[in-house]
Amino acid sequence: MGSTLSMCCTYIACSSASSLCTACFGSTAPGTTGRKRSALLLLMTIFIALVFQYYVAPQIVSPTGYVKAFQHMPGIGRQVFKAWGSGCDQYDGHKDLVQDCVGNNGVYRPTFAATIFFLFAALSTKCNPALNREAWPAKYAIYILTVFAFIFIPNHPFFNGIYLWISRFGAMIFVIIEQIILIDVAYNWNESWVEKSNECDRVEFYGAGKKWLRAIIAMCALFYIMSFTGVGLMYHFYLGCVLNNAIISITLVGIIAVTAIQLTGTEGSLLTSSILSLYATYLAFSAISKNPDATCNPHLGSNDVGGIILGLLLTFMSLAWTGWSWTAEDRLSD
C-alpha cells in the first residue's frame, strides 16, 4: 500500500513538473518554436554575467575566506585567478580599475558562450528547423559546460582583445536594431490609441475619444520633459570635456531635428519622436558616464545601478518584442 501511494505521488509530481515546464518553456510539438527556451537561456546568460561581474570579480581582486584558500590551491585555483587577472596588469595600483577590468572580462565569458551557442543553433536550425524546438535540456547542459570551460581561459588576448572588438561591433548592430524596435513599438502604440479614440467616437458620441488623443499628447510631453531634463543634467554634471560636450550637444540637436521633421510631415508620429529622443538621451548618458578618463567622468569607478537596470530593461523589451511580436511569429512560421 505504501509503495503504491509513493508511486502515485511520484507520478503526480512528475506530471505536474512536466506541465509546468511546458507552460513556462513552450511545447515541443510540431509547428512550435524554441523562442521561450531561447529567452530563458538569454536570461541565464544575463544572470551569470551579473554574478561574475559583481560577485566573482571582487573576490578575484580581493579574496576573502574560502576564496582566499582556493586562490592558493595548486592547479584549478591558481589557474582561475591567473586567467581572470590576465590583461589587467596595466591597472596595477588602481584597485577599482582592476576590478572593473576583471568584472568586464567576467561578463565576456557567458556572453561569448551564448554567442557561440546561438550561432551554431542558427546554423543547425537552417539545416533542420525541427532542431529549434528539440533537445533543449542537452542544449542547456552544453551551454553551462561551455561557460564553465571559459572560466579557465585567460582574458588576454582572447576575451579582452578579439572578443571585445567582436562584441563592440555586435553592440553597434544591436543598438540600430533596438532603435528599429522602438520605432515599431511607438508606431503601434500610437496607432492603437488613435484607433481607440476613433472607436469611442463611433460607439459613444463624437468627441468621446479625445481622452485617448490627450493621453498621447501627455505621454509625448512626459517623454520630452524627461529628455530635456536629462540633457540639462548632463550639461551640469559632465560639461567640460570636448568629447562630452560634443556628445551632449549632438544629442540635443538631434532631438530638435527629429521633432521638427515629424512636425512638418503628414505621416509622422510625435509619440515616436519623443520615445526616440528619450532613448537618444539614455545613449548619450551611457556614453559619457562610461568615459574612462577621470577628468571627464567624475563618477568613474562607481556602479551605476540605475543605468544597469535601465539597460537590462531595454534589452529585455527588445528581445521580448522580437521573440513574441506577430511579425516574428509570421517569419518563424514561414
Side-chain angles (χ1 to χ4, degrees):
M1 181 66 179
S3 60
T4 303
L5 182 61
S6 176
M7 291 178 62
C8 290
C9 292
T10 303
Y11 172 78
I12 293 172
C14 292
S15 179
S16 301
S18 176
S19 300
L20 180 62
C21 290
T22 300
C24 294
F25 308 139
S27 172
T28 58
T32 60
T33 65
R35 286 177 293 163
K36 290 184 179 180
R37 292 173 283 274
S38 297
L40 176 64
L41 191 139
L42 287 172
L43 290 176
M44 289 171 56
T45 302
I46 293 172
F47 175 77
I48 295 172
L50 291 174
V51 171
F52 280 2
Q53 184 170 21
Y54 296 108
Y55 179 75
V56 176
Q59 290 293 327
I60 293 291
V61 176
S62 302
T64 58
Y66 68 91
V67 179
K68 194 171 185 178
F70 178 73
Q71 179 184 10
H72 301 287
M73 182 183 298
I76 295 178
R78 292 179 180 176
Q79 176 59 30
V80 169
F81 274 80
K82 181 180 178 181
W84 284 60
S86 66
C88 299
D89 304 336
Q90 55 184 318
Y91 303 114
D92 285 346
H94 303 278
K95 184 178 177 181
D96 291 338
L97 295 179
V98 172
Q99 184 169 311
D100 287 342
C101 176
V102 175
N104 291 338
N105 283 281
V107 172
Y108 300 151
R109 287 169 164 82
T111 53
F112 182 62
T115 301
I116 294 176
F117 173 86
F118 284 110
L119 179 61
F120 279 100
L123 293 175
S124 62
T125 303
K126 182 67 176 178
C127 300
N128 184 4
L131 292 176
N132 188 39
R133 65 174 187 272
E134 296 176 349
W136 275 94
K139 292 177 182 178
Y140 287 139
I142 292 172
Y143 170 74
I144 295 298
L145 289 174
T146 304
V147 174
F148 180 76
F150 283 171
I151 291 176
F152 303 97
I153 297 179
N155 299 332
H156 187 76
F158 187 75
F159 290 117
N160 60 10
I162 300 172
Y163 179 64
L164 175 60
W165 284 102
I166 295 174
S167 60
R168 283 173 175 170
F169 181 74
M172 180 183 67
I173 297 175
F174 180 75
V175 167
I176 296 173
I177 295 174
E178 200 168 45
Q179 292 180 51
I180 296 173
I181 291 172
L182 284 175
I183 292 173
D184 191 22
V185 170
Y187 269 109
N188 279 278
W189 184 0
N190 186 79
E191 289 176 3
S192 175
W193 282 16
V194 170
E195 186 177 339
K196 289 180 184 294
S197 174
N198 295 333
E199 184 69 19
C200 286
D201 288 342
R202 287 194 301 268
V203 176
E204 299 178 20
F205 57 90
Y206 183 76
K210 288 184 178 180
K211 58 186 177 182
W212 290 103
L213 300 180
R214 293 192 186 101
I216 293 176
I217 296 174
M219 295 306 300
C220 292
L222 175 63
F223 292 149
Y224 275 119
I225 290 172
M226 294 173 66
S227 299
F228 286 113
T229 301
V231 170
L233 290 174
M234 285 189 288
Y235 270 124
H236 178 72
F237 290 105
Y238 293 94
L239 191 65
C241 289
V242 175
L243 181 60
N244 288 1
N245 297 347
I247 292 174
I248 301 171
S249 299
I250 291 173
T251 301
L252 179 59
V253 172
I255 291 173
I256 296 173
V258 169
T259 304
I261 293 172
Q262 289 283 17
L263 291 174
T264 55
T266 57
E267 297 295 331
S269 166
L270 196 60
L271 181 61
T272 304
S273 62
S274 65
I275 291 177
L276 285 180
S277 298
L278 186 60
Y279 180 71
T281 305
Y282 160 74
L283 289 181
F285 172 74
S286 297
I288 62 177
S289 64
K290 301 299 185 296
N291 193 330
D293 188 351
T295 59
C296 298
N297 186 2
H299 305 289
L300 183 66
S302 60
N303 290 326
D304 181 16
V305 179
I308 294 170
I309 294 174
L310 182 58
L312 290 175
L313 288 175
L314 283 171
T315 302
F316 179 77
M317 186 197 73
S318 301
L319 295 173
W321 185 261
T322 303
W324 275 275
S325 65
W326 66 269
T327 51
E329 181 67 43
D330 288 343
R331 289 195 301 271
L332 290 166
S333 299
D334 289 340

